Amino acid sequence: MMLKNDKKIWLSSPHMGGSELKYIQQAFDENWIAPLGPNVHGFEQDLEDFLQSDSHVAVLSSGTAALHLALIMIGVEKGDYVVCQSLTFSASANPIIYTGAIPLFVDSERETWNLCPDAVEEAIEFGISKGKKPKAIIAVSLYGMPYKVDEIKAISIKYDIPIIEDSAESLGSAYKNQKCGTFGDMAVISFNGNKIITTSGGGALITKDIAFKKKAVFLSTQAKDDAPHYEHTHIGYNYRMSNVCAGIGRGQMEVLEDRIAKRRANHQFYLDIFSELPEIEVHTEPHTDYFSNHWLTAIVLKTDSKVSTETIRMNFLEQNIETRPIWKPMHLQPIFRDLPYFGGEVAQELFEHGLCLPSGSNLTEEDRAEIGKVIRKVFQII
Ligand SMILES: *Cc1c(COP(=O)(O)O)cnc(C)c1O
């Protein structure tokens, strides 16, 4: 295929701030090339300050590792049920399988694209009818959009089931002025290369309970008991973040607010363009209680749209511009197809008619002009 642009426009690519190397240099100067050291603690402190709550943070090797530890600490074991949003990345669900538990996949509601409260109750009632009340609810804030926090929290309280927030995509998002990641019993965030800030690979566990933080640090560093020799009373994991990666994180924290502003500006750019096109719906905040970091801006085509998402995607690709379908729901994945599912076809419809558009904080004016040109061509607007 002939690509018109030499420079690829990515969906979401790493965007360094400038001082990351300073923190890495410090790690080298002081020889803290290990999964412990001043950057690890500094990064945790930066995150705690940013979240502006009484949360404690443990930085880990990935968001997936954080979710695995959260499930273990809640006491999820083989054969247990865990309620999980279906419309998400597979890493929301895989750690349930690591523990031997069974995911109960749940549909989305149409406003935020996250957990449908009615379907969550259905899943919980199913578990109870089998004599196994689900042990946790994994609530995702998809593409940065907070889930219906009040409704899901009410269900969590009614049935006394803890919420683990999968805030991998929503660092900096907020609901009623409170930051995502501080609503649940525990939460996880991700610093993978495509996320709003990155440490190349990394994640964090957020918790209000200092005992959970201490336990996460203990388990993530091979569960070594307090003894001069190696003594073990627990199964350990090698899940702690490296002090070198944490140095990248410290640098990235200095520019996080700017990155959120840039992604939100991209989102506004798309809202403006698509306001002329009634067959397109942009995934946006339902009302002012919601504040999304707009990690990715996604659109859905209404059923009467003249063009398909695949046509749009191919037109972008010809210009060397990356777009992606919405996450394929977990209940439709070959590996999870036989597991229980609750709800209707909202997640499936969003997958079939949705598309994520380039949303990186490093998009330039020229990039946006190129993107605008493709959209105008596909929809023939002058
Ligand atoms: C990225 C992501 C994860 C996993 O985070 P890693 O740091 O890549 O392990 C989990 N859930 C969601 C929704 C994600 O987008």
Side-chain angles (χ1 to χ4, degrees), residues 218-335:
F218 171 74
L219 293 174
S220 67
T221 52
Q222 307 284 22
K224 287 173 277 201
D225 291 340
D226 196 11
H229 61 279
Y230 287 102
E231 178 81 5
H232 300 281
T233 51
H234 290 77
I235 293 294
Y237 301 84
N238 188 1
Y239 280 174
R240 192 69 162 136
M241 182 178 279
S242 143
N243 190 59
V244 178
C245 292
I248 307 176
R250 295 210 72 185
Q252 290 272 277
M253 284 307 287
E254 294 179 11
V255 292
L256 175 55
E257 293 288 5
D258 169 77
R259 300 305 187 248
I260 296 165
K262 292 272 163 54
R263 299 230 179 204
R264 288 180 55 83
N266 290 334
H267 184 74
Q268 190 57 50
F269 160 78
Y270 288 119
L271 282 176
D272 292 344
I273 285 201
F274 289 117
S275 66
E276 301 170 49
L277 288 163
E279 69 254 55
I280 303 284
E281 178 192 323
V282 180
H283 181 219
T284 198
E285 287 97 337
H287 54 83
T288 51
D289 282 350
Y290 294 84
F291 178 92
S292 172
N293 66 10
H294 289 300
W295 171 58
L296 294 187
T297 292
I299 54 169
V300 226
L301 303 186
K302 306 225 175 101
T303 39
D304 59 354
S305 172
K306 298 182 291 287
V307 293
S308 68
T309 46
E310 192 53 15
T311 306
I312 305 174
R313 197 180 72 81
M314 291 311 290
N315 272 272
F316 274 117
L317 199 60
E318 275 171 30
Q319 303 300 323
N320 209 9
I321 299 170
E322 183 188 28
T323 62
R324 284 263 177 147
I326 305 294
W327 301 122
K328 181 175 179 179
M330 291 306 109
H331 73 281
L332 302 177
Q333 297 287 354
I335 188 76

Side-chain angles (χ1 to χ4, degrees), residues 61-65 67 88-92 140-142 166-169 188-192 194-195 201-203 295 327:
S61 55
S62 70
T64 311
L67 199 46
T88 184
F89 180 47
S90 61
S92 301
V140 183
S141 294
L142 206 70
D166 181 346
S167 301
E169 303 174 358
V188 309
I189 41 183
S190 168
F191 310 112
N192 204 339
N194 58 349
K195 297 288 164 33
W295 171 58
W327 301 122

